[in-house]
CSV table of all heavy atoms in Angstrom, one decimal:
chain,number,residue,atom,x,y,z
G,20,LYS,N,-54.5,37.9,29.2
G,20,LYS,CA,-55.6,37.6,30.1
G,20,LYS,C,-55.4,38.2,31.5
G,20,LYS,O,-56.3,38.6,32.1
G,20,LYS,CB,-55.7,36.0,30.3
G,20,LYS,CG,-56.2,35.4,29.0
G,20,LYS,CD,-56.3,33.9,29.1
G,20,LYS,CE,-56.8,33.2,27.8
G,20,LYS,NZ,-56.8,31.8,27.9
G,21,ALA,N,-54.1,38.3,31.9
G,21,ALA,CA,-53.8,38.9,33.2
G,21,ALA,C,-54.1,40.4,33.1
G,21,ALA,O,-54.8,40.9,34.0
G,21,ALA,CB,-52.3,38.8,33.5
G,22,HIS,N,-53.8,41.1,32.0
G,22,HIS,CA,-54.2,42.5,31.9
G,22,HIS,C,-55.7,42.7,32.0
G,22,HIS,O,-56.2,43.5,32.7
G,22,HIS,CB,-53.8,43.1,30.5
G,22,HIS,CG,-52.3,43.3,30.4
G,22,HIS,ND1,-51.5,42.5,29.6
G,22,HIS,CD2,-51.4,44.1,31.0
G,22,HIS,CE1,-50.3,42.9,29.6
G,22,HIS,NE2,-50.2,43.8,30.5
G,23,GLN,N,-56.4,41.8,31.3
G,23,GLN,CA,-57.9,41.8,31.2
G,23,GLN,C,-58.5,41.6,32.6
G,23,GLN,O,-59.5,42.2,33.0
G,23,GLN,CB,-58.4,40.9,30.2
G,23,GLN,CG,-58.1,41.3,28.8
G,23,GLN,CD,-58.2,40.2,27.7
G,23,GLN,OE1,-58.3,39.0,28.1
G,23,GLN,NE2,-58.1,40.5,26.5
G,24,ALA,N,-58.0,40.6,33.3
G,24,ALA,CA,-58.4,40.2,34.7
G,24,ALA,C,-58.2,41.4,35.6
G,24,ALA,O,-59.0,41.7,36.5
G,24,ALA,CB,-57.8,38.9,35.2
G,25,ILE,N,-57.0,42.0,35.6
G,25,ILE,CA,-56.7,43.2,36.4
G,25,ILE,C,-57.7,44.3,36.1
G,25,ILE,O,-58.2,45.0,37.0
G,25,ILE,CB,-55.2,43.7,36.3
G,25,ILE,CG1,-54.3,42.6,36.8
G,25,ILE,CG2,-55.0,45.0,37.0
G,25,ILE,CD1,-52.8,42.8,36.4
G,26,ALA,N,-58.0,44.5,34.8
G,26,ALA,CA,-59.0,45.6,34.5
G,26,ALA,C,-60.3,45.2,35.1
G,26,ALA,O,-61.0,46.2,35.6
G,26,ALA,CB,-59.1,45.6,33.0
G,27,LEU,N,-60.7,44.0,35.1
G,27,LEU,CA,-62.0,43.6,35.8
G,27,LEU,C,-61.9,43.9,37.3
G,27,LEU,O,-62.9,44.3,37.9
G,27,LEU,CB,-62.3,42.2,35.5
G,27,LEU,CG,-62.8,41.8,34.1
G,27,LEU,CD1,-62.9,40.3,33.9
G,27,LEU,CD2,-64.1,42.5,33.7
G,28,LEU,N,-60.7,43.6,37.9
G,28,LEU,CA,-60.6,43.9,39.3
G,28,LEU,C,-60.7,45.4,39.6
G,28,LEU,O,-61.2,45.8,40.7
G,28,LEU,CB,-59.3,43.4,39.8
G,28,LEU,CG,-59.1,41.8,39.9
G,28,LEU,CD1,-57.6,41.4,40.2
G,28,LEU,CD2,-60.0,41.2,40.9
G,29,VAL,N,-60.2,46.2,38.7
G,29,VAL,CA,-60.3,47.7,38.8
G,29,VAL,C,-61.8,48.1,38.7
G,29,VAL,O,-62.4,48.8,39.5
G,29,VAL,CB,-59.5,48.4,37.7
G,29,VAL,CG1,-59.9,49.9,37.7
G,29,VAL,CG2,-58.0,48.2,38.0
G,30,LYS,N,-62.5,47.5,37.7
G,30,LYS,CA,-63.9,47.8,37.5
G,30,LYS,C,-64.7,47.4,38.7
G,30,LYS,O,-65.6,48.1,39.1
G,30,LYS,CB,-64.4,47.0,36.3
G,30,LYS,CG,-65.8,47.4,35.8
G,30,LYS,CD,-66.1,46.7,34.5
G,30,LYS,CE,-67.4,47.1,33.9
G,30,LYS,NZ,-67.7,46.5,32.6
G,31,ARG,N,-64.4,46.3,39.4
G,31,ARG,CA,-65.0,45.9,40.6
G,31,ARG,C,-64.8,46.8,41.8
G,31,ARG,O,-65.5,46.8,42.7
G,31,ARG,CB,-64.5,44.5,40.9
G,31,ARG,CG,-65.2,43.8,42.2
G,31,ARG,CD,-64.6,42.4,42.4
G,31,ARG,NE,-65.3,41.8,43.5
G,31,ARG,CZ,-64.9,41.9,44.7
G,31,ARG,NH1,-64.0,42.7,45.1
G,31,ARG,NH2,-65.6,41.3,45.7
G,32,GLY,N,-63.6,47.6,41.7
G,32,GLY,CA,-63.2,48.4,42.8
G,32,GLY,C,-62.2,47.8,43.8
G,32,GLY,O,-61.9,48.4,44.8
G,33,THR,N,-61.7,46.6,43.4
G,33,THR,CA,-60.8,45.9,44.3
G,33,THR,C,-59.4,46.5,44.1
G,33,THR,O,-58.6,46.6,45.1
G,33,THR,CB,-60.7,44.4,43.9
G,33,THR,OG1,-62.1,43.9,44.1
G,33,THR,CG2,-59.8,43.6,44.8
G,34,VAL,N,-59.0,46.9,42.9
G,34,VAL,CA,-57.7,47.4,42.6
G,34,VAL,C,-57.9,48.9,42.2
G,34,VAL,O,-58.7,49.2,41.4
G,34,VAL,CB,-57.0,46.7,41.4
G,34,VAL,CG1,-55.7,47.4,41.0
G,34,VAL,CG2,-56.7,45.2,41.9
G,35,ARG,N,-57.1,49.8,42.9
G,35,ARG,CA,-57.2,51.2,42.6
G,35,ARG,C,-55.9,51.8,42.1
G,35,ARG,O,-55.9,52.8,41.4
G,35,ARG,CB,-57.5,52.0,43.9
G,35,ARG,CG,-58.8,51.5,44.6
G,35,ARG,CD,-60.0,52.1,44.0
G,35,ARG,NE,-60.0,53.6,44.0
G,35,ARG,CZ,-60.3,54.4,45.0
G,35,ARG,NH1,-60.7,53.8,46.1
G,35,ARG,NH2,-60.3,55.6,44.8
G,36,VAL,N,-54.8,51.2,42.4
G,36,VAL,CA,-53.5,51.7,41.9
G,36,VAL,C,-52.7,50.5,41.3
G,36,VAL,O,-52.6,49.4,41.9
G,36,VAL,CB,-52.6,52.2,43.1
G,36,VAL,CG1,-51.3,52.7,42.7
G,36,VAL,CG2,-53.4,53.3,43.8
G,37,ILE,N,-52.1,50.8,40.2
G,37,ILE,CA,-51.4,49.7,39.4
G,37,ILE,C,-49.9,50.3,39.3
G,37,ILE,O,-49.8,51.4,38.7
G,37,ILE,CB,-52.0,49.4,38.1
G,37,ILE,CG1,-53.4,48.8,38.3
G,37,ILE,CG2,-51.1,48.4,37.3
G,37,ILE,CD1,-54.2,48.7,37.0
G,38,LEU,N,-48.9,49.6,39.7
G,38,LEU,CA,-47.5,50.0,39.5
G,38,LEU,C,-47.0,49.1,38.5
G,38,LEU,O,-47.2,47.9,38.5
G,38,LEU,CB,-46.7,49.8,40.8
G,38,LEU,CG,-47.1,50.6,42.0
G,38,LEU,CD1,-46.2,50.2,43.2
G,38,LEU,CD2,-47.0,52.1,41.8
G,39,THR,N,-46.3,49.6,37.5
G,39,THR,CA,-45.7,48.8,36.4
G,39,THR,C,-44.4,49.3,36.0
G,39,THR,O,-44.1,50.5,36.0
G,39,THR,CB,-46.7,48.7,35.2
G,39,THR,OG1,-46.0,47.9,34.2
G,39,THR,CG2,-46.9,50.1,34.6
G,40,THR,N,-43.5,48.4,35.7
G,40,THR,CA,-42.1,48.7,35.2
G,40,THR,C,-42.1,48.6,33.7
G,40,THR,O,-41.1,48.8,33.2
G,40,THR,CB,-41.1,47.8,35.9
G,40,THR,OG1,-41.4,46.5,35.6
G,40,THR,CG2,-41.0,48.0,37.4
G,41,ASN,N,-43.2,48.3,33.1
G,41,ASN,CA,-43.3,48.1,31.6
G,41,ASN,C,-43.5,49.5,30.9
G,41,ASN,O,-44.2,50.4,31.4
G,41,ASN,CB,-44.4,47.2,31.2
G,41,ASN,CG,-44.2,45.8,31.7
G,41,ASN,OD1,-43.1,45.4,32.1
G,41,ASN,ND2,-45.2,45.0,31.8
G,42,PHE,N,-42.9,49.6,29.7
G,42,PHE,CA,-43.0,50.8,28.9
G,42,PHE,C,-44.3,50.8,28.0
G,42,PHE,O,-44.7,51.8,27.5
G,42,PHE,CB,-41.8,50.9,27.9
G,42,PHE,CG,-40.5,50.9,28.6
G,42,PHE,CD1,-39.5,50.1,28.2
G,42,PHE,CD2,-40.2,51.8,29.6
G,42,PHE,CE1,-38.3,50.1,28.8
G,42,PHE,CE2,-39.0,51.8,30.2
G,42,PHE,CZ,-38.0,51.0,29.8
G,43,ASP,N,-44.9,49.6,27.8
G,43,ASP,CA,-46.0,49.5,26.9
G,43,ASP,C,-47.3,50.1,27.4
G,43,ASP,O,-47.3,50.5,28.6
G,43,ASP,CB,-46.2,48.0,26.5
G,43,ASP,CG,-46.6,47.1,27.7
G,43,ASP,OD1,-47.5,47.5,28.4
G,43,ASP,OD2,-45.9,46.1,27.9
G,44,ARG,N,-48.3,50.0,26.7
G,44,ARG,CA,-49.6,50.6,27.0
G,44,ARG,C,-50.7,49.5,27.1
G,44,ARG,O,-51.9,49.8,27.0
G,44,ARG,CB,-50.0,51.7,26.0
G,44,ARG,CG,-49.1,52.8,26.1
G,44,ARG,CD,-49.5,53.9,25.2
G,44,ARG,NE,-48.7,55.2,25.5
G,44,ARG,CZ,-48.8,56.3,24.8
G,44,ARG,NH1,-49.8,56.4,23.9
G,44,ARG,NH2,-48.1,57.3,25.2
G,45,LEU,N,-50.3,48.3,27.3
G,45,LEU,CA,-51.3,47.1,27.4
G,45,LEU,C,-52.2,47.3,28.5
G,45,LEU,O,-53.4,47.0,28.4
G,45,LEU,CB,-50.5,45.8,27.4
G,45,LEU,CG,-49.7,45.5,26.1
G,45,LEU,CD1,-48.9,44.2,26.3
G,45,LEU,CD2,-50.5,45.5,24.8
G,46,MET,N,-51.7,47.7,29.7
G,46,MET,CA,-52.6,47.9,30.8
G,46,MET,C,-53.7,48.9,30.5
G,46,MET,O,-54.9,48.7,30.9
G,46,MET,CB,-51.8,48.2,32.1
G,46,MET,CG,-52.6,48.1,33.4
G,46,MET,SD,-53.1,46.4,33.8
G,46,MET,CE,-54.8,46.4,33.5
G,47,GLU,N,-53.2,50.0,30.0
G,47,GLU,CA,-54.2,51.1,29.7
G,47,GLU,C,-55.2,50.6,28.7
G,47,GLU,O,-56.4,51.0,28.7
G,47,GLU,CB,-53.4,52.3,29.2
G,47,GLU,CG,-52.5,53.0,30.2
G,47,GLU,CD,-51.1,52.6,30.1
G,47,GLU,OE1,-50.8,51.3,30.2
G,47,GLU,OE2,-50.2,53.4,29.9
G,48,GLN,N,-54.7,49.9,27.7
G,48,GLN,CA,-55.7,49.3,26.7
G,48,GLN,C,-56.7,48.4,27.3
G,48,GLN,O,-57.9,48.5,27.0
G,48,GLN,CB,-54.8,48.6,25.6
G,48,GLN,CG,-55.6,48.2,24.4
G,48,GLN,CD,-54.8,47.5,23.3
G,48,GLN,OE1,-53.5,47.8,23.2
G,48,GLN,NE2,-55.4,46.7,22.5
G,49,ALA,N,-56.2,47.5,28.2
G,49,ALA,CA,-57.2,46.6,28.8
G,49,ALA,C,-58.2,47.4,29.7
G,49,ALA,O,-59.4,47.0,29.7
G,49,ALA,CB,-56.4,45.6,29.7
G,50,LEU,N,-57.8,48.4,30.4
G,50,LEU,CA,-58.7,49.2,31.1
G,50,LEU,C,-59.7,49.9,30.2
G,50,LEU,O,-60.9,50.0,30.5
G,50,LEU,CB,-57.9,50.2,31.9
G,50,LEU,CG,-57.1,49.7,33.1
G,50,LEU,CD1,-56.1,50.7,33.6
G,50,LEU,CD2,-58.0,49.2,34.2
G,51,ALA,N,-59.2,50.5,29.1
G,51,ALA,CA,-60.1,51.1,28.1
G,51,ALA,C,-61.2,50.2,27.6
G,51,ALA,O,-62.3,50.6,27.4
G,51,ALA,CB,-59.2,51.7,27.0
G,52,GLU,N,-60.8,48.9,27.4
G,52,GLU,CA,-61.8,48.0,26.9
G,52,GLU,C,-62.9,47.7,28.0
G,52,GLU,O,-64.0,47.3,27.6
G,52,GLU,CB,-61.1,46.6,26.6
G,52,GLU,CG,-60.2,46.7,25.3
G,52,GLU,CD,-59.3,45.5,25.1
G,52,GLU,OE1,-59.4,44.6,25.9
G,52,GLU,OE2,-58.5,45.6,24.1
G,53,GLU,N,-62.6,48.0,29.2
G,53,GLU,CA,-63.7,47.9,30.3
G,53,GLU,C,-64.3,49.3,30.5
G,53,GLU,O,-65.1,49.4,31.5
G,53,GLU,CB,-63.0,47.3,31.5
G,53,GLU,CG,-62.6,45.8,31.4
G,53,GLU,CD,-63.8,45.0,31.1
G,53,GLU,OE1,-64.9,45.2,31.5
G,53,GLU,OE2,-63.6,43.9,30.5
């Protein structure tokens, strides 16, 4: 749900840059879903 909410914040224009120390692609997947 956090990934999905961050993706919504990106869609809104509130978040422009995401720094992550994770190796996975969950953030990219959530963004693609939006």
Side-chain angles (χ1 to χ4, degrees):
K20 291 178 180 177
H22 291 111
Q23 293 162 348
I25 293 169
L27 288 174
L28 292 171
V29 171
K30 191 173 186 177
R31 181 183 185 272
T33 304
V34 171
R35 301 281 304 277
V36 179
I37 299 168
L38 300 174
T39 180
T40 57
N41 294 343
F42 304 127
D43 61 55
R44 294 181 169 183
L45 296 176
M46 192 67 251
E47 295 97 303
Q48 188 178 334
L50 290 165
E52 289 170 4
E53 291 299 328

